[in-house]
Amino acid sequence: MKKFIYASAIAISFLAADAALAQRVDLRSGDVSVLSGQKTVNVVYDYSEFGVGKFATEQEYLDKKSAEYNAKEAGKGDAWKKAWVEDRKARYEPKFEELFNKGMADKGLTAVTARPDAQYTLIVKTKFVEPGFNVGVMRKNAYVDFEIDLVESANKSNKVAEIGMRNVPGGQFGGFDFDTGVRIAESYAKAGKSLAAFLDKKLK
């Protein structure tokens, strides 16, 4: 019983730390007001360069984890690595857009992928991922750092604004987020929601 109480206390402390590290949306440069009156904004996701946990690069993380899983069960690591990448299209991006679009509904702005005819594009760059963990009596939220560039679709080198978002937390209420992809997907959902709330205040 004492061990359970101690473990529960640690889990609660993780949640408290998570709340304390709640992210904020930081307009680093430029002006987002160009989105006023726009009906759609194109969205592009960039996963080309980011660290994972204690690993400087995603590749280092994937190589280490997949090797560990394969050592325990042949093919398990390969399947895990495949799922890690597929979660982007299957989970992360839909979550980001769902919450972003819900938050921007009153402004009439919708984020859509593969919409090059939109005047502006949001380039959502993943810069760091903390996968977190959930082992039952102990858990830690996932965290993702984002850099979001607002650019002209016809000339993506013309950056209109740059937005930073750090320590965006991800986890499911009740602790049923044993799968890494579920926790990270919630970080993308939170990012979409927070970005929409920020833009909602900025746009007329």
Side-chain angles (χ1 to χ4, degrees), residues 89-108:
K89 295 291 185 185
R91 290 175 166 177
Y92 308 161
E93 295 169 19
K95 280 283 190 178
F96 179 90
E97 291 163 35
E98 177 188 354
L99 273 292
F100 179 89
N101 291 339
K102 183 177 180 180
M104 296 305 297
D106 66 334
K107 289 293 192 292

Side-chain angles (χ1 to χ4, degrees), residues 38 40-42 112-121 153-154 156:
Q38 297 293 316
T40 59
V41 60
N42 186 42
V112 184
T113 55
R115 190 63 183 271
D117 59 320
Q119 187 172 354
Y120 296 99
T121 293
S153 297
K156 290 185 173 60

Side-chain angles (χ1 to χ4, degrees), residues 108-165:
L109 179 64
T110 302
V112 184
T113 55
R115 190 63 183 271
D117 59 320
Q119 187 172 354
Y120 296 99
T121 293
L122 287 170
I123 302 177
V124 181
K125 302 177 183 178
T126 298
K127 303 304 292 181
F128 176 79
V129 174
E130 166 53 57
F133 61 84
N134 188 338
V135 291
V137 295
M138 294 179 65
R139 65 176 303 280
K140 179 181 179 181
N141 275 350
Y143 284 96
V144 181
D145 290 351
F146 297 92
E147 183 178 289
I148 301 173
D149 291 344
L150 176 61
V151 302
E152 291 184 354
S153 297
N155 181 16
K156 290 185 173 60
S157 63
N158 187 7
K159 187 186 297 186
V160 179
E162 180 181 317
I163 296 168
M165 301 176 69

Side-chain angles (χ1 to χ4, degrees), residues 4-19 137-139:
F4 176 76
I5 293 174
Y6 177 69
S8 297
I10 292 176
I12 292 171
S13 69
F14 274 128
L15 292 175
D18 286 346
V137 295
M138 294 179 65
R139 65 176 303 280

Side-chain angles (χ1 to χ4, degrees), residues 54-97:
K54 64 181 181 180
F55 297 90
T57 68
E58 179 196 25
Q59 192 60 54
E60 291 178 68
Y61 174 72
L62 294 180
D63 290 345
K64 179 77 182 318
K65 293 291 288 186
S66 62
E68 290 175 350
Y69 284 134
N70 280 333
K72 294 178 181 179
E73 180 183 333
K76 183 177 180 179
D78 299 326
W80 171 83
K81 184 187 290 187
K82 183 172 183 286
W84 170 272
V85 175
E86 289 179 344
D87 276 345
R88 297 170 181 175
K89 295 291 185 185
R91 290 175 166 177
Y92 308 161
E93 295 169 19
K95 280 283 190 178
F96 179 90
E97 291 163 35

